[in-house]
Amino acid sequence: MKFDPNQHLHLGYYENNVDLEAVAYKIQNENKWVVFLDNEQDTTLVKKILDKYDFHEKYGYKIFTVDADDLSYEVGSKLFEEWLKANNITVDEHFSLQ
């Protein structure tokens, strides 16, 4: 899997006291993006599920892929939000961790 050096997209979820970011990288010569959770941020909210995902030292945790030639911030961030919800990353969990 080789990424296009000219195409990546920063995605974010900044609602309900949650501040998480991911980065999508486009696979070179394919209509597919791979989304990684940046492990250099506070991952306390998602720590309990990260063992289900492959870790790549350079990129972080590979959390999902998107079939698309072009990916917008709006669509990518919405998919990231859906991933968080599907994994039960909620405000209630955020407050219970403090």
Side-chain angles (χ1 to χ4, degrees):
M1 175 169 50
K2 185 173 181 178
F3 297 121
D4 184 331
N6 300 314
Q7 290 192 309
H8 74 278
L9 181 64
H10 293 263
L11 309 173
Y13 181 78
Y14 311 107
E15 297 178 26
N16 302 319
N17 294 314
V18 175
D19 184 356
L20 285 172
E21 295 184 356
V23 180
Y25 295 91
K26 186 166 188 310
I27 297 177
Q28 197 166 35
N29 301 319
E30 289 188 40
N31 291 334
K32 184 173 288 218
W33 294 72
V34 181
V35 180
F36 292 92
L37 186 67
D38 181 4
N39 63 315
E40 293 186 7
Q41 64 187 320
D42 181 2
T43 57
T44 304
L45 282 175
V46 293
K47 193 168 287 293
K48 68 180 182 183
I49 62 165
L50 289 180
D51 61 349
K52 297 189 311 188
Y53 297 94
D54 291 335
F55 178 75
H56 299 266
E57 190 171 319
K58 185 175 179 180
Y59 302 104
Y61 292 92
K62 179 183 173 185
I63 56 174
F64 62 90
T65 61
V66 179
D67 291 325
D69 178 43
D70 193 24
L71 184 63
S72 69
Y73 175 82
E74 292 77 17
V75 170
S77 291
K78 184 68 175 166
L79 292 169
F80 183 41
E81 178 182 357
E82 290 171 7
W83 177 84
L84 290 168
K85 288 179 180 177
N87 284 284
N88 296 313
I89 308 304
T90 65
V91 177
D92 295 319
E93 288 183 46
H94 178 69
F95 289 121
S96 67
L97 292 171
Q98 294 182 359

